[in-house]
């Protein structure tokens, strides 16, 4: 990688000690991510993807290894890092309206400025007229849009997303995937998207990190050389897309033969 | 409307039991007489006395119970340190403390507010503590990721998320506080509805005594309406 990486993880390992047994979630994960790069992370469910994200966000301390953000070791939650959690419907503040949820990260910026920036963020996700709605009045897809608006309103440099579209219908999902790619590209955001959906990773990412089953390690890094913008239907039909798809499926199915 | 019909039915039943002599007419006055006695000139003052003691006690309990409940909910250490004390004090009925309170603090509005406050403290403290402990960790984690820490996190995420629970505690405390306020007046002669009822009964003004009871019931109903 020519550029200095924005994110660097090396030798990450993480176990959870239970009362009876210990679960090793991550065996050994290391990677680098360049500024502005869109990295997809795929792996079977339960392999430690969420745990990895939590280590990267400073929410969890790895047992071994280090995470560096912008050249500095991550010990707490860095200011310039934002997260969209898997359970967006549980992570929106139900007592606040959509507009107030989006204003939450920027409450220090003064009333007028905060309102304006929140309005702009809601605009970006296509929810211009919904600032006064409470989360329960919005559909799942709209709630996820609010979560995305809230995650980008403070102009973070690194956005972590944990299976953000896992619980919306296929139609909404395709729309939200496009929306996320467009917005993060416009803002020049560095994004790490966790998903168990290989197609989604190929459609959205510049590079895909393939993780093994638990305890996870990196099986392969697959750079995705597909032109952008990537129309969902057209891109899926490309032979190159099919090749990536086949490669990643094979790596996951036969981890032993990787490399 | 339904509530009104229920009330009318209650009045009807009262009159029926009176005319059937199930209720002795001497101690069960006609509802018209009770209604007329609602105009008793001492009644507004007595009502105000009860309301003030109730509000002061509730305010006192809320200003201690809610912050302390938040602290107990947030800190396992503080919780462990105080649980035994709380569990020991909580079952003591506030009315059982009346004689002690009179001796230690003396008669007066302060003593009454303290007793009401003591009674109201526990439901507020306990439901706040449980409410805070039950807050979805994903919400507080989201708050932290979005830049809120410490006191700020508690004020902007933890307490709002626990609010439904705190409101339940407030509702219980408000009703209980009214009971304790009236009971304290009955027992100690602090100015209020309880004392008014006792006085009228001793003076043989039975309709007025009932009027006091009706107003106490009405207050309880209003408190219920306001807090739910
Ligand atoms: N806080 C925790 N305590 C105990 N075990 C955990 C905890 N978090 C995750 N695990 C375990 O670690 C493994 C990986 O979990 P997770 O990172 O959520 O996987 P994924 O997101 O890939 O589905 C799972 O076996 C899970 O049960
Ligand atoms: Mg997960």
């Amino acid at each position: 990688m020519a550029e200095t990486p924005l994110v660097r993880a090396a030798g990450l390992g993480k176990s959870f000690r239970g009362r009876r047994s210990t679960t090793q979630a991550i065996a050994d994960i290391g990677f680098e991510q360049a500024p502005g790069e869109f990295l997809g992370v795929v792996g079977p469910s339960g392999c430690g993807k969420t745990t990895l994200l939590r280590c990267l966000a400073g929410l969890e301390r790895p047992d071994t290894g280090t995470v560096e953000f912008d050249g500095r070791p991550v010990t707490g939650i860095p200011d310039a890092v934002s997260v969209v959690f898997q359970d967006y419907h549980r992570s929106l503040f139900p007592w606040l309206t959509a507009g107030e949820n989006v204003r939450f990260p920027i409450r220090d910026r003064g009333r007028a400025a905060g309102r304006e920036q929140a309005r702009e963020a809601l605009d970006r996700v296509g929810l211009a007229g919904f600032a006064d709605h409470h989360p329960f009045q919005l559909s799942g897809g709209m709630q996820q849009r609010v979560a995305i608006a809230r995650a980008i309103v403070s102009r973070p440099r690194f956005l972590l997303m944990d299976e953000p579209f896992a619980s919306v219908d296929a139609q909404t999902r395709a729309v939200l995937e496009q929306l996320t790619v467009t917005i993060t590209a416009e803002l020049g955001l560095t994004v790490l998207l966790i998903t168990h959906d290989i197609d989604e990773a190929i459609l959205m990412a510049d590079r895909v990190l393939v993780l093994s089953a638990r305890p996870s390690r990196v099986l392969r890094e697959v750079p995705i050389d597909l032109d952008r913008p990537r129309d969902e239907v057209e891109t899926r039909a490309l032979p190159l897309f099919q090749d990536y798809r086949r490669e990643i499926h094979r790596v996951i199915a036969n981890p032993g033969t990787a490399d | 409307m339904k509530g009104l019909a229920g009330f009318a039915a209650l009045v009807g039943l009262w009159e029926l039991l009176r005319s059937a002599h199930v209720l002795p007419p001497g101690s069960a006055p006609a509802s018209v007489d009770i209604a007329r006695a609602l105009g008793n000139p001492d009644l507004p003052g007595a009502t105000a006395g009860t309301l003030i003691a109730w509000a002061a006690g509730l305010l006192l309990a809320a200003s201690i119970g809610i912050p302390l409940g938040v602290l107990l909910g947030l800190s396992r250490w503080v919780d462990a340190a105080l649980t035994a004390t709380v569990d020991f004090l909580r079952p003591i009925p506030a009315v059982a403390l009346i004689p002690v309170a009179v001796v230690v603090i003396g008669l007066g509005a302060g003593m009454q507010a303290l007793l009401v406050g003591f009674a109201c403290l526990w439901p507020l403290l306990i439901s706040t503590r449980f409410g805070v402990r039950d807050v979805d960790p994903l919400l507080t984690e989201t708050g932290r990721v979005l830049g809120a820490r410490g006191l700020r996190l508690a004020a902007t995420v933890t307490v709002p998320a626990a609010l439904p629970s705190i409101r339940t505690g407030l509702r219980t405390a408000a009703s209980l506080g009214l009971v304790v306020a009236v009971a304290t007046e009955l027992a100690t002669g602090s100015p209020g509805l309880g004392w008014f009822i006792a006085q009228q009964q001793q003076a043989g003004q039975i309709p007025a005594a009932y009027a006091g009871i009706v107003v106490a019931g009405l207050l309880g109903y209003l408190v219920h309406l306001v807090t739910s």
Side-chain angles (χ1 to χ4, degrees):
Chain A
M1 216 170 293
E3 264 175 298
T4 27
L6 181 69
V7 185
R8 179 184 296 167
L12 287 188
K14 178 76 189 175
S15 298
F16 295 101
R17 223 173 306 277
R19 219 162 268 161
R20 297 226 185 85
S21 61
T22 298
T23 311
Q24 192 187 9
I26 301 175
D28 178 15
I29 292 182
F31 66 89
E32 292 185 349
Q33 192 173 355
E37 189 185 19
F38 198 124
L39 185 67
V41 176
V42 297
S45 85
C47 79
K49 300 184 294 296
T50 298
T51 306
L52 170 66
L53 175 137
R54 294 174 56 82
C55 290
L56 296 173
L59 288 165
E60 196 104 60
R61 259 181 188 289
D63 300 332
T64 60
T66 52
V67 177
E68 275 177 30
F69 177 73
D70 204 15
R72 260 178 248 130
V74 170
T75 48
I77 307 162
D79 278 339
V81 173
S82 198
V83 179
V84 174
F85 288 102
Q86 189 166 1
D87 292 310
Y88 53 84
H89 53 283
R90 269 172 58 217
S91 91
L92 290 179
F93 302 122
W95 58 89
L96 299 180
T97 62
E100 291 164 342
N101 262 285
V102 175
R103 230 180 306 151
F104 188 96
I106 51 168
R107 18 191 216 298
D108 290 338
R109 296 194 187 164
R111 255 174 185 277
R115 217 176 279 268
E116 177 55 29
Q117 286 168 31
R119 201 193 52 75
E120 198 234 291
L122 277 172
D123 248 356
R124 269 188 199 280
V125 298
L127 286 183
F130 293 88
D132 294 330
H133 286 57
H134 279 269
F136 68 87
Q137 296 170 304
L138 302 172
S139 68
M142 289 161 105
Q143 289 179 18
Q144 188 59 302
R145 287 171 192 250
V146 176
I148 293 170
R150 189 177 64 175
I152 59 162
V153 72
S154 61
R155 292 298 156 84
R157 296 173 60 199
F158 187 34
L159 178 64
L160 290 154
M161 304 180 91
D162 191 0
E163 305 201 31
F165 316 122
S167 46
V168 293
D169 60 276
Q171 205 76 38
T172 311
R173 182 186 184 120
V175 173
L176 288 178
E177 285 170 3
Q178 293 293 340
L179 184 78
T180 302
V181 168
T182 310
I183 292 174
T184 55
E186 278 171 6
L187 297 177
L189 260 170
T190 309
V191 185
L192 186 142
L193 174 100
I194 283 174
T195 174
H196 62 257
D197 184 331
I198 292 168
D199 287 19
E200 179 172 278
I202 302 172
L203 277 169
M204 295 177 76
D206 298 317
R207 185 161 55 109
V208 176
L209 218 60
V210 186
L211 302 185
S212 71
R214 186 170 65 81
S216 51
R217 41 184 86 249
V218 179
L219 290 175
R220 189 169 293 187
E221 293 186 20
V222 184
I224 307 295
D225 285 317
L226 293 167
D227 294 337
R228 291 185 189 270
R230 299 173 186 164
D231 175 83
E232 199 211 345
V233 178
E234 300 298 329
T235 309
R236 275 180 199 279
L238 295 175
L240 192 53
F241 179 90
Q242 310 279 337
D243 291 345
Y244 288 134
R245 199 161 182 267
R246 202 171 301 123
E247 178 184 358
I248 294 171
H249 272 288
R250 280 206 184 120
V251 171
I252 291 177
N254 305 301
T257 61
D259 298 321
Chain B
M1 271 330 278
K2 273 185 196 150
L4 226 55
F7 186 70
L10 187 70
V11 173
L13 184 70
W14 173 263
E15 289 303 331
L16 195 72
L17 293 176
R18 277 185 76 247
S19 55
H21 291 275
V22 177
L23 292 169
S27 53
S31 29
V32 224
D33 293 335
I34 298 176
R36 200 170 297 130
L38 284 170
N40 187 302
D42 291 338
L43 201 47
T47 309
T50 299
L51 269 180
I52 289 167
W54 169 79
L58 192 60
L59 200 69
L60 183 69
S63 57
I64 297 171
I66 295 175
L68 192 60
V70 171
L71 191 65
L72 290 182
L74 287 177
S75 161
R76 305 232 160 226
W77 190 88
V78 178
D79 193 51
L82 291 185
T83 296
T85 314
V86 169
D87 286 344
F88 171 73
L89 291 175
R90 189 161 60 111
I92 301 176
V95 283
L97 292 177
I98 293 175
V100 187
V102 169
V103 171
V104 176
I105 312 163
L107 292 169
M111 177 269 298
Q112 204 190 351
L114 271 179
L115 284 172
V116 172
F118 180 84
C120 294
L121 179 64
W122 309 113
L124 273 166
L125 181 73
I126 302 295
S127 51
T128 303
R129 173 193 178 278
F130 278 108
V132 165
R133 191 142 293 180
D134 275 353
V135 171
D136 189 339
L138 186 60
L139 282 180
T140 40
E141 207 149 72
T142 302
R144 283 205 293 146
V145 167
L146 300 178
R149 315 278 151 85
L151 257 183
R152 180 128 194 223
L153 183 67
T156 55
V157 178
T158 314
V159 171
L163 211 54
S165 220
I166 297 174
R167 206 172 285 143
T168 304
L170 193 63
R171 192 154 47 228
T172 313
S175 306
L176 190 63
L178 202 58
V179 173
V180 173
V182 172
T184 312
E185 289 153 8
L186 269 169
T188 68
S190 297
L193 282 173
W195 178 231
F196 175 87
I197 294 165
Q199 259 185 329
Q200 300 301 326
Q201 179 248 324
Q202 273 153 30
Q205 305 291 329
I206 305 305
Y210 274 104
I213 293 170
V214 168
V215 173
L218 224 56
L219 278 189
Y221 181 64
L222 282 178
V223 163
H224 173 79
L225 275 190
V226 169
T227 53
S228 51

